[in-house]
Amino acid sequence: MTLDPDAIMEALGELYGEPESQPHGDAVAELVLTVLSQNTSDRNSGRAFVQLMRRYPGWDAVAEAPLDELIATIQTGGLAQQKAPRIKRILEAVRERAPDWNLAFLEEEPLEEARAWLRGLPGVGPKTAACVLLFALGRPALPVDTHVERVAKRLALVPPKTTPEQAHERLEALVPPDLYYRFHMLLIKHGRRTCSARTPSCEACPLEASCPSSVLPAKVGG
């Protein structure tokens, strides 16, 4: 049996509940939070973001903060030595275009132009750009994190050797744009709670009977 995105979302929606998109409108905060979330848990990145907001009164202060001070502030998020200078470079580039830190112009630009502008920021890849577009601005972009990528490959929605950037393109072409948020959130929940990286709980998965990976010897590691 071949699974399609609609069948996947229907099954996972019954298991986890239906997500509701509520764009928060703060594109700069989403940029910074997504950088902090790289290669760490949501709990750690959330703590680092809260500490950042508590220490600095605004984005100007973050952009102008001494690098060692910024590193110490976001240390709990992990990889602070790499993330702090990246955040500073991003904020400096944003301030050149939007001194008031308002990126509302991205809501009006054609989608691909908005995506290209975000991708032009230092160190911003397809996932970060998609997170800003989807979560902050409510625009149709589909972020593919490690959970979404893993589940999509196990369900044969994308080929096993697909790169993360290719996965963004393939999944955005496969899923209807108005369902990007729903698809993203349901696959993330499934990847975290059931279809984990090392020991997936296949017996608890509503897709197990038709999952292509269920017949592969390498299912647990896949």
Side-chain angles (χ1 to χ4, degrees):
M1 178 179 177
T2 301
L3 287 167
D4 62 69
D6 285 337
I8 291 167
M9 286 185 281
E10 182 177 355
L12 298 184
E14 291 179 0
L15 181 62
Y16 303 116
E18 290 294 344
E20 181 180 351
S21 177
Q22 296 181 323
H24 55 73
D26 194 337
V28 178
E30 190 65 40
L31 272 169
V32 173
L33 181 58
T34 305
V35 171
L36 290 172
S37 73
Q38 294 166 354
N39 299 300
T40 192
S41 68
D42 286 347
R43 179 180 179 182
N44 288 341
S45 61
R47 288 173 60 195
F49 186 79
V50 168
Q51 290 166 351
L52 191 71
M53 295 296 94
R54 285 176 175 170
R55 181 155 197 170
Y56 301 106
W59 296 120
D60 283 303
V62 178
E64 295 162 8
L67 183 58
D68 57 347
E69 179 183 286
L70 184 57
I71 290 171
T73 301
I74 64 171
Q75 195 70 46
T76 57
L79 299 176
Q81 295 278 354
Q82 291 78 39
K83 294 176 182 179
R86 186 176 306 158
I87 288 170
K88 286 178 68 69
R89 290 195 300 270
I90 288 173
L91 292 178
E92 288 164 3
V94 167
R95 186 161 56 177
E96 288 183 9
R97 171 66 188 264
D100 60 354
W101 303 105
N102 186 349
L103 298 184
F105 68 89
L106 294 175
E107 296 178 358
E108 307 299 329
E109 289 192 350
L111 179 62
E112 291 311 312
E113 290 184 19
R115 193 196 307 266
W117 188 85
L118 289 166
R119 290 290 306 274
L121 295 173
V124 172
K127 176 199 165 186
T128 300
C131 284
V132 173
L133 292 169
L134 183 66
F135 299 130
L137 305 176
R139 305 205 64 182
L142 205 170
V144 179
D145 74 342
T146 55
H147 299 292
V148 173
E149 182 182 352
R150 179 177 67 255
V151 175
K153 287 180 176 179
R154 285 179 173 168
L155 294 175
L157 295 177
V158 295
K161 294 185 179 180
T162 301
T163 66
E165 185 152 357
Q166 290 170 337
H168 278 85
E169 296 173 359
R170 288 176 179 268
L171 290 174
E172 282 198 347
L174 184 65
V175 179
D178 62 327
L179 297 179
Y180 285 167
Y181 181 85
R182 182 185 183 209
F183 181 85
H184 171 84
M185 295 303 297
L186 289 173
L187 261 67
I188 276 192
K189 288 183 179 180
H190 196 52
R192 289 173 176 167
R193 302 182 188 182
T194 306
C195 194
S196 59
R198 296 189 178 276
T199 55
S201 302
C202 296
E203 69 285 353
C205 176
L207 304 170
E208 196 275 338
S210 52
C211 176
S213 298
S214 66
V215 298
L216 298 178
K219 177 175 72 171
V220 171

